[in-house]
Amino acid sequence: QAQLVESGGGLVQAGGSLRLSCTASGRTFNYYAMGWFRQTPGKERDFVAAATWGGLSTYYADSVKGRFTISRDIDKSAAYLQMNSLKPEDTAVYYCATQARYSPGNSFYNGDDYDNWGQGTQVTVSS
């Protein structure tokens, strides 16, 4: 199982952009689905975006559709979340996670169905 590390977070003004990276420390980066989630203090962890390997199937939370894009670079063992038109309500710690293999009944939207998580990166959007 690869070790996942998020990076690319920071402080940005409303309307700006950030690109988050999720890199795998292992020699291989094998998974069925990759997901991005976010969490603020005192609140539940929320789904943001997900994709199957190769990015042929993608899924987005309604709150980020049209603004965020999930992608993967197999050669670099990395996944990305491009965030445009950022809003103050996007402020959170962002996590990447993977589902190791396909399991009937698992959800792309439920964090409990992911089995490998990074440590998170802080995104702060100012008004």
Side-chain angles (χ1 to χ4, degrees):
Q1 188 176 61
Q3 300 296 309
L4 306 180
V5 180
E6 302 94 337
S7 63
L11 176 64
V12 65
Q13 294 182 354
S17 299
L18 287 173
R19 189 180 75 161
L20 305 184
S21 298
C22 177
T23 58
S25 62
R27 289 180 57 84
T28 59
F29 193 18
N30 298 318
Y31 62 88
Y32 171 69
M34 161 69 68
W36 287 92
F37 295 78
R38 64 188 182 187
Q39 187 172 30
T40 56
K43 297 183 179 180
E44 294 183 347
R45 183 174 55 200
D46 293 328
F47 169 80
V48 177
T52 56
W53 84 271
L56 297 180
S57 298
T58 58
Y59 308 85
Y60 295 93
D62 289 341
S63 60
V64 305
K65 286 181 179 178
R67 300 189 298 119
F68 291 11
T69 303
I70 188 171
S71 62
R72 179 191 180 196
D73 189 331
I74 297 177
D75 292 337
K76 296 181 179 180
S77 297
Y80 306 98
L81 184 69
Q82 178 67 45
M83 306 186 296
N84 299 325
S85 302
L86 283 163
K87 306 174 181 179
E89 51 262 44
D90 294 319
T91 295
V93 177
Y94 284 71
Y95 300 88
C96 66
T98 58
Q99 296 182 12
R101 64 185 188 278
Y102 172 77
S103 295
N106 279 8
S107 172
F108 294 112
Y109 307 95
N110 185 359
D112 291 339
D113 289 334
Y114 291 76
D115 47 42
N116 193 17
W117 291 81
Q119 296 299 308
T121 184
Q122 176 71 48
V123 172
T124 303
V125 184
S126 62
S127 301

